Amino acid sequence: MCGIVGVTGRQDATEILLHGLEKLEYRGYDSAGIFVSAEDGQNYLVKEKGRIADLRQEVGDDVHGSTGIGHTRWATHGVPSRDNAHPHVSEDGRFYLVHNGVIGNFAQLKAEYLADVNFKSETDTEVIVQLIAHFAKEGMDAKAAFKKVLSLVDTSSSYAFLLMDSQAKDHTLYVAKRKSPLLIGLVKILTWYVLMRWPC
Ligand code: GLU
């Protein structure tokens, strides 16, 4: 089973994300990853096949930031591997995405809009983040590009998404759901905490 967690605020996101993923561990998963963005513009993407303990070791002591997203994956498209683990990043390095669920028409979207894109994974999820970057390049802001992509996803699909725009200075987390549950909470006034569970 899989899970996503995200946080934005003034606390150190890394420990909140890892702790959140550990709480979801009992559900089962094949790989895990986090993306953390710091105030000084530093970005960190760490992914690992296997257990959260392995991810924690890979993260080490140097990953810090106030906004981030994390994921435990239960593979539906593509083998369990570091490349297929989430978060996925757009080719231009701008957008980062975690996803629980399945995108029914990912192959059609890939063929129609993304013929020139170099994919790093076999997942349905990567199509979504590359598509967001595609529409952003056409001039849409992050929210408009995200909404445009959601409008193209077919009704057979299920998703809980957390999206980050690494160019944004405002630490916004973009969130969307269909069928998969998503919980949003306010912690200690300044920290938003998102925790999602889906029986995949
Ligand atoms: N369909 C996505 C994948 O295979 C997400 C799987 C999940 O919900 O963990 O990577």
Side-chain angles (χ1 to χ4, degrees):
M1 308 282 171
C2 48
I4 60 175
V5 57
V7 62
T8 184
R10 298 205 170 163
Q11 300 175 23
D12 189 19
T14 306
E15 189 48 42
I16 295 172
L17 293 176
L18 290 172
H19 185 63
L21 293 178
E22 282 162 356
K23 284 203 159 234
L24 295 170
E25 235 181 342
Y26 74 97
R27 302 174 68 79
Y29 59 98
D30 55 58
S31 55
I34 61 170
F35 171 69
V36 174
S37 175
E39 306 268 333
D40 62 4
Q42 251 332 311
N43 292 321
Y44 305 89
L45 177 65
V46 188
K47 312 201 281 189
E48 198 55 78
K49 188 179 165 191
R51 303 187 58 77
I52 306 295
D54 302 323
L55 177 68
R56 202 178 251 292
Q57 195 162 357
E58 195 66 20
V59 167
D61 296 326
D62 297 331
V63 175
H64 298 291
S66 53
T67 308
I69 53 180
H71 188 263
T72 50
R73 176 171 188 246
W74 187 277
T76 64
H77 294 69
V79 297
S81 69
R82 189 185 280 183
D83 284 343
N84 287 335
H86 303 212
H88 289 291
V89 55
S90 57
E91 198 179 28
D92 60 5
R94 176 173 171 185
F95 294 102
Y96 291 79
L97 183 76
V98 291
H99 165 221
N100 285 152
V102 170
I103 304 303
N105 60 335
F106 80 100
Q108 295 93 311
L109 293 173
K110 189 172 176 178
E112 189 171 345
Y113 295 98
L114 303 170
D116 297 335
V117 172
N118 255 325
F119 279 77
K120 296 192 198 80
S121 80
E122 308 158 301
T123 63
D124 50 342
T125 305
E126 189 183 352
V127 171
I128 300 303
V129 75
Q130 302 289 12
L131 207 46
I132 292 165
H134 168 86
F135 288 117
K137 279 197 199 102
E138 287 190 346
M140 292 184 194
D141 63 25
K143 186 174 168 187
F146 191 27
K147 286 177 85 169
K148 172 72 181 172
V149 173
L150 294 176
S151 77
L152 296 174
V153 169
D154 74 10
T155 53
S156 76
S157 303
S158 59
Y159 55 76
F161 288 127
L162 291 178
L163 173 72
M164 283 180 63
D165 175 2
S166 65
Q167 281 180 9
K169 304 228 181 304
D170 60 1
H171 304 284
T172 300
L173 280 184
Y174 297 90
V175 177
K177 75 174 283 303
R178 177 195 283 163
K179 297 182 191 169
S180 306
L182 184 74
L183 174 72
I184 301 177
L186 183 62
V187 180
K188 288 189 182 168
I189 302 172
L190 289 173
T191 300
W192 284 95
Y193 180 73
V194 182
L195 180 66
M196 174 274 171
R197 291 154 196 226
W198 182 57
C200 50

